[in-house]
Amino acid sequence: MSRILFATSEAYPLIKTGGLADVAGSLPRALLGLKQEVRLILPAYPEARARMGKARTIASFELDSHQLNLLQGRLPGARVTTWLLDCPVFFDRPGNPYLNEQGQVWPDNAERFALFSKAVSLIAQGKAGIDWRADLVHCNDWQTALVPALLDQESRRPATLFTIHNLAYQGLFDQATFTKLGLPAHLWHHEALEFHHQLSFIKGGLVFADSISTVSPSYAKEILRPEFAYGLDGLLRHRRQVLSGIINGIDTNEWNPGTDPRLQQNYNRRTLAKKIIYKTALQQHFKLAEAPDTLLFGFIGRLVEQKGLNDILASLPAILKTPVQFVFLGSGQQEYEQALRELAAQYPDKVAVQIGYSEDLSHRIEAGADAFLMPSTFEPCGLNQLYSLRYGALPVVRKVGGLNDTVIDSTRENLENDSATGIVFTGTAGDDLLDALQRTQKLYTNKAQWKQVQLAAMRQDFSWRRSAQAYLDLYQTSLKRNPKPLLT
Ligand code: ADP
């Protein structure tokens, strides 16, 4: 049994902006099931505090002239011991973990997450007044990437694993910020945190962690190439011996059409016909034409370039000349929000958009949509396609990253051997997506084949069982890689 400190900036259901929260909310629970001693730690945002409910202060300590409290409670719905790091000046604010209510990044994000990382490294070493220390710290994304760099200063330390959930977000700040944070001076070096005269938080993880992982095997290979790595491919190639990819699992209690409390009538593979109830409900909710036989695509996600919005906007006008419907749920860049609204205004009975975030509606879209649109230009893992498989909404995806690892194209051969689970396309132009949408339409006209693919999709097992075991193996490897292990 190992003592694992799982450090993250978000964890569902305490606080969520994206896939990291889903992982942080479900992997620790799976690890607990594998008999590990896990502690989940994240900042004490007001929402997280409120949702955690009962909590008690287990430590108080001073760090960089801030008085910090560590609150202990449980992750709702799980037995995972959860620690919220309370530092009101930095974390007791409205808005999401990274942005204010106007959608702008908090100007002191470097200070906020540097302090969080410093606190995590103290807590991991048992230096914050708690009678517990970690054998391994599992850090996630740039907000916790300084932890491996800080621990590297120590003569004895826990092992470290750094997981990249999205390499596009690196935590880049200017040199003055580096000075302000009071980090050890020697870390200002191109073989440490400096990246083209900037401070790069993510390099703390990439340079110093004993192991690096990312959230799919394909993405682990892609980020060794310049097109996917934003200048970090050289460093990643240098560390490729310790880099691996583990596909994310999904919370199969949360995402299960057979038990989903958001669905009045649950369905499974044997009662798939009930999906029509949710399709009709979706058409009503979005005020689209109530057409049971019209192919309905769903889209849920951040409205950013990564999610393939340029290709969607380029290919939709052509496909909208045919009988088809689209529902979009998401928020993000204004120009995409605006373009989708305009499309909906132009095709009111075919396209509908809800700008915003709704956990509830996202479940109902998965249940009601025939197909799920996810043409991301890159996708470290992607969760929505996994939810879609489970809900029998066939994913239409580009062959990148985790999408490539989880969806099997409906080629003639794959249809014949009953392995097809969706539509996979290659290429980077709007035409490639248009072609994929047309292929989806063609498949949809063959009701028997469509159902066969739906059933195959719903049979897929992306529960945490396998992936949590893979993390456990990686923890063991990381413990062996740690050159300065703790004395037991
Ligand atoms: P990313 O982490 O890049 O945003 P993922 O597919 O890995 O993409 O995970 C996104 C998660 O956030 C999924 O659980 C998805 O359902 C959820 N999500 C994204 N946007 C919305 C939204 N507008 N409403 C509800 N859920 C959303």
Side-chain angles (χ1 to χ4, degrees):
M1 182 173 76
S2 301
R3 284 163 303 194
I4 315 289
L5 184 58
F6 192 100
T8 177
S9 54
E10 49 182 282
Y12 182 82
L14 298 175
I15 183 115
K16 168 169 167 177
T17 72
L20 169 60
D22 288 348
V23 174
S26 50
L27 173 57
R29 178 159 22 147
L31 291 168
L32 205 64
L34 294 173
K35 309 264 178 289
Q36 302 306 297
E37 193 179 316
V38 196
R39 299 286 182 272
L40 174 65
I41 184 164
L42 65 156
Y45 315 108
E47 199 175 321
R49 252 177 117 135
R51 292 208 176 146
M52 191 161 80
K54 228 169 64 196
R56 65 192 172 94
T57 303
I58 56 161
S60 296
F61 56 102
E62 202 183 299
L63 179 59
D64 289 353
S65 328
H66 295 289
Q67 187 59 39
L68 308 182
N69 292 315
L70 196 61
L71 312 175
Q72 176 168 305
R74 291 271 166 93
L75 190 66
R79 287 182 302 116
V80 178
T81 301
T82 301
W83 289 341
L84 298 184
L85 182 78
D86 183 29
C87 177
V89 271
F90 282 154
F91 300 122
D92 190 7
R93 341 177 148 168
N96 91 7
Y98 324 113
L99 312 173
N100 65 19
E101 284 170 310
Q102 283 72 50
Q104 296 143 339
V105 291
W106 293 111
D108 56 354
N109 273 347
E111 288 92 325
R112 298 169 74 224
F113 292 108
L115 185 88
F116 180 57
S117 295
K118 287 180 189 182
V120 167
S121 80
L122 289 180
I123 292 163
Q125 298 174 82
K127 292 182 180 172
I130 316 154
D131 186 21
W132 190 90
R133 62 177 193 187
D135 298 314
L136 179 138
V137 191
H138 186 165
C139 304
N140 298 279
D141 278 353
W142 74 263
Q143 295 85 357
T144 53
L146 291 183
V147 176
L150 294 166
L151 286 175
D152 188 67
Q153 318 296 308
E154 307 292 333
S155 54
R156 301 254 158 216
R157 62 164 174 83
T160 50
L161 165 63
F162 179 68
T163 299
I164 305 164
H165 295 262
N166 194 336
L167 195 61
Y169 301 96
Q170 302 174 1
L172 292 176
F173 302 93
D174 61 13
Q175 187 172 4
T177 305
F178 176 84
T179 312
K180 194 156 58 174
L181 296 180
L183 294 166
H186 72 271
L187 290 178
W188 187 259
H189 189 277
H190 68 275
E191 287 181 7
L193 302 182
E194 186 191 345
F195 182 66
H196 302 289
H197 313 296
Q198 285 192 291
L199 160 63
S200 163
F201 271 54
I202 202 169
K203 280 190 72 185
L206 302 184
V207 174
F208 294 102
D210 297 313
S211 303
I212 305 168
S213 73
T214 185
V215 287
S216 68
S218 285
Y219 194 59
K221 289 195 202 105
E222 286 166 355
I223 56 177
L224 302 177
R225 303 191 345 231
E227 313 90 274
F228 287 94
Y230 318 95
L232 291 166
D233 49 301
L235 170 57
L236 287 163
R237 284 195 301 276
H238 176 67
R239 300 220 69 205
R240 69 191 305 167
Q241 304 306 345
V242 301
L243 169 67
S244 57
I246 301 174
I247 202 85
N248 285 335
I250 59 171
D251 184 335
T252 46
N253 293 324
E254 188 72 23
W255 293 94
N256 180 358
T259 55
D260 193 331
R262 292 168 170 105
L263 311 181
Q264 284 81 21
Q265 292 198 46
N266 292 108
Y267 67 92
N268 57 31
R269 273 178 289 166
R270 278 175 300 281
T271 54
L272 188 54
K274 285 194 199 163
K275 230 176 122 60
I276 191 68
I277 302 172
Y278 300 102
K279 181 170 177 175
T280 309
L282 213 52
Q283 287 167 334
Q284 286 168 350
H285 173 86
F286 279 103
K287 303 193 171 51
L288 293 174
E290 274 181 50
D293 291 324
T294 301
L295 173 60
L296 172 62
F297 287 91
F299 174 102
I300 304 162
R302 295 178 294 120
L303 300 177
V304 296
E305 193 182 340
Q306 177 197 340
K307 300 296 175 185
L309 266 300
N310 289 339
D311 284 351
I312 290 174
L313 292 170
S315 53
L316 252 54
I319 200 86
L320 283 168
K321 296 202 176 86
T322 66
V324 68
Q325 292 180 330
F326 290 87
V327 298
F328 290 88
L329 167 65
S331 60
Q333 281 167 240
Q334 289 224 315
E335 69 264 33
Y336 294 133
E337 293 184 358
Q338 186 56 26
L340 289 176
R341 279 200 190 100
E342 281 166 17
L343 212 56
Q346 205 180 336
Y347 299 92
D349 53 358
K350 288 186 169 179
V351 181
V353 183
Q354 185 160 326
I355 300 297
Y357 190 96
S358 167
E359 200 69 44
D360 191 59
L361 184 58
S362 73
H363 284 244
R364 291 189 283 117
I365 291 177
E366 296 290 8
D370 297 303
F372 190 83
L373 187 59
M374 198 161 172
S376 308
T377 55
F378 69 94
E379 194 56 80
C381 175
L383 291 169
N384 272 314
Q385 85 281 13
L386 303 179
Y387 304 147
S388 304
L389 289 169
R390 219 168 146 73
Y391 281 67
L394 300 189
V396 180
V397 303
R398 199 188 310 269
K399 192 177 170 58
V400 287
L403 301 175
N404 180 36
D405 294 337
T406 56
V407 184
I408 302 165
D409 192 21
S410 296
T411 58
R412 187 179 323 160
E413 192 189 341
N414 292 340
L415 287 168
E416 272 165 19
N417 65 27
D418 198 16
S419 62
T421 60
I423 305 287
V424 183
F425 68 97
T426 50
T428 53
D431 284 349
D432 302 310
L433 173 58
L434 181 59
D435 182 64
L437 296 174
Q438 287 163 343
R439 277 174 54 209
T440 312
Q441 282 185 310
K442 185 150 177 267
L443 185 66
Y444 187 69
T445 58
N446 184 334
K447 294 289 172 220
Q449 229 164 31
W450 184 268
K451 185 169 178 198
Q452 175 200 322
V453 182
Q454 278 182 308
L455 293 176
M458 294 174 79
R459 265 199 312 271
Q460 303 300 303
D461 177 7
F462 286 105
S463 63
W464 269 108
R465 200 173 37 87
R466 228 173 315 154
S467 297
Q469 184 57 50
Y471 273 107
L472 208 54
D473 296 343
L474 184 54
Y475 293 162
Q476 294 308 323
T477 309
S478 310
L479 290 168
K480 290 193 197 114
R481 281 180 184 148
N482 180 4
K484 302 185 278 189
L486 298 166
L487 301 169
T488 45

